[in-house]
Amino acid sequence: MASSVLRTSFLPLLQCQDGYNSILSLYNFTTTHHRGDRKYRFNGVAAAQQEAGNASNDRNSFVKRDQRTRQNEHFKRFLNFSGEKPSTPVLDTINHPIHMKNLSIEELGKLADELREELVYSVPKTGGHLSSSLGVAELTVALHHVFNTPEDKIIWDVGHQAYSHKILTGRRSRMHTIRQTCGLAGFPKREESVHDAFGTGHSSTSISAGLGMAVGRDLLGKNNHVIAVIGDGAMTAGMAYEAMNNTGYLDTNLIIILNDNEQVSLPTATVDGPAPPVGALSTALTKLHSSREFRQLREAAKGITKQIGGRTLEIAAKFDSFARGMVGGSGASLFEELGLYYIGPVDGHNLEDLVYVLNEIKSMPAPGPLLIHVITEKGKGYAPAEIAPDQMHGVVKVDPKSGKQMKRKSETLSYTQYFAESLIAEAEKDDKIVGIHAAMGGGTGLNLFQKRFPDRCFDVGIAEQHAVTFAAGLASEGLKPFCAIYSSFLQRGFDQVAHDVALQKLPVRFAIDRAGLVGADGPTHCGAFDTTFMACLPNMVVMAPSNETELIHMVTTAGAIDDRPSCFRYPRGNGIGSILPPNNNGTPLEVGKGRVLREGSRVAILGYGTIVQSCMTAAELLEMLGISATVADARFCKPIDGDLLRQLAQEHEILITAEEGSIGGFSTHVSYFLGLNGLQDGKLKWRPMMLPDRYIDHGSQNDQIEEAGLSSKHIAATALSLLGDCIEGLHRLNL
């Protein structure tokens, strides 16, 4: 169909207009690609340039890509996923991207295969993000083959796609340390390598950062390339569209690569398997995948439009618009209406196409803002990851042969699971309860809630701002929304929490998962700040459970608070084995009231959150030294328990407050109360213990706690230091 339309509509016009028996090659990145006697063009259409002596035969030649054959496509290399170190002769020659420049297409293909083998050999030993990096092996190879980092800037969004990038940029020998204490970070990190142009742990930031770099380049008179690789869920966030809008307006040279692996929403699984992508964008991109007629018609029309003028240009432009409406290229129209020239879809596992397209774009002196739509398969090449990309998105230690993850067995569930099960129990009794998450059904446990109440659970995509205000709208209609978001991700929705929820006193309940130190994910995902930014808001009730039983009670408490917003924070990890209420049915707590867990005399230790367990252990250490300590569980940061604070301050020589949060959090509210009520005017010695005012690198949670100085021994040592003669006690505590 495409060739016949072009033949009858455009080619006679060209012949008449120019007076030549030749067809102009398509505009730059749709030009003819010659290999020997064959002529190729990426992306569905090959336009044959006329050569002397064969004009009549080739004039109307448009060759579909899937009709051509290549010798190197007939041979598929067997990949070694045995768990033994694979043979990687090509990869062994690559220490830095410059070593890739002279590789042939066939060698680049072998390099991509060897990268997959290396990933499946190294990542299962440490855990990490596997399927995302497997899916971009060819794209990573092509980018580093064509462009010249660190002069050219490549920004990986989300950063969990960047493992192959790390291997190719001098970090292969340290991949066994990834996400480990003092090892490689799991995300791009500027301090780690000059090839990491921008740190990315949260999604949808690459286009904004890339545009800033591109404008900075222009202002400084440089001529390097800037490439933003976005995908794997990141295109659902509003920030990406804000950035594209501004990019089209500024019209600077910026290359955006949409890595479309059909996961417009993150692939966090439902109980029954992978969750389908959410949002209208997913549908639009899916249509583009199969719209070959649109691609053929449009690319030919655009190529002609760029190179001819007059009446023919006008007709060609109208045809381009007609082709959009006729074939349905709505996704392309979306990007181009924002001012980006759309190219694609391109096969993200075809290195010849990728290298050709990128080289053509690189050679253009002023391409303006471009979006290359690359189709990839998440987990490509490794069968367990292809079958279950959701389960292989983030893995613990894995058996490479079978793909089976070797999760450590625990006698208790995770705090996330306790939250989900208690929310289900509440929802069984109250049909107004609904759940909301931002593309993290598996991470927040709401996949369990969705299984039980499919019509009352909403995945909004990676769109935390929208999630918060969406929840506010539900609350305004009398529903009881529980908005489950990781602490570090809720940072992105703070204005909506303040303006749309707290200001209007709408009873949205925020379940803040991954609060405190999170281990291997490091500072990008550290939940240090939620107490600080939530408790500073008027009308907000702020809670933190000391164990899983308290968490269940706080879910019930939040459900009962119907005149203002509330939140409760809980950590990554498993419960301590506390006695659970029958059928996970909690009891509402008295708002603003804490509890004393252990009576003592000289020292009072007031904990907020699960650090209460370390406070109890610290009291036991002090008891071994003959020092009597009281331990209290604050439960609430706001409203704070004034009666409990007075009791602890007036009946003890020393008061220590402990929290796994930043400066400005729970201890600040304690200080404010003590100061206003004159409780620090006497002999009381008060010391706050919190996370230090710096970011703590990735590693095990225990190592991070030690680095932060928040272990039970550190708490006991703080008490000893305030009591005076503590040298012997510190020695006995091995401090």
Side-chain angles (χ1 to χ4, degrees), residues 26 29 74 133 158 222 256 259 317 319 321 323 330 335-336 342 386 391 394 448 525 558 575-576 659 681 698 715:
L26 298 180
F29 35 74
H74 291 303
S133 291
V158 180
K222 299 178 181 179
I256 302 169
N259 170 29
F319 178 81
S321 177
S330 57
F335 297 123
E336 295 201 348
Y342 174 91
E386 290 181 348
Q391 295 178 15
L448 301 172
H525 289 58
I576 64 169
E659 61 180 311
D681 298 346
H698 58 278
I715 296 170

Side-chain angles (χ1 to χ4, degrees), residues 117-182:
E117 292 178 318
E118 185 75 10
L119 287 168
V120 176
Y121 172 71
S122 61
V123 175
K125 298 179 185 299
T126 61
H129 292 97
L130 183 58
S131 57
S132 298
S133 291
L134 289 171
V136 294
E138 287 87 0
L139 178 58
T140 307
V141 167
L143 284 169
H144 279 297
H145 175 71
V146 172
F147 295 101
N148 302 305
T149 61
E151 289 78 19
D152 293 330
K153 312 297 182 184
I154 301 175
I155 308 162
W156 293 94
D157 180 349
V158 180
H160 57 234
Q161 301 178 91
Y163 285 19
S164 296
H165 161 79
K166 286 177 180 277
I167 292 172
L168 295 175
T169 53
R171 287 167 277 183
R172 181 187 182 190
S173 64
R174 298 184 62 204
M175 283 299 292
H176 68 282
T177 71
I178 198 163
R179 293 163 52 90
Q180 308 300 301
T181 303
C182 300

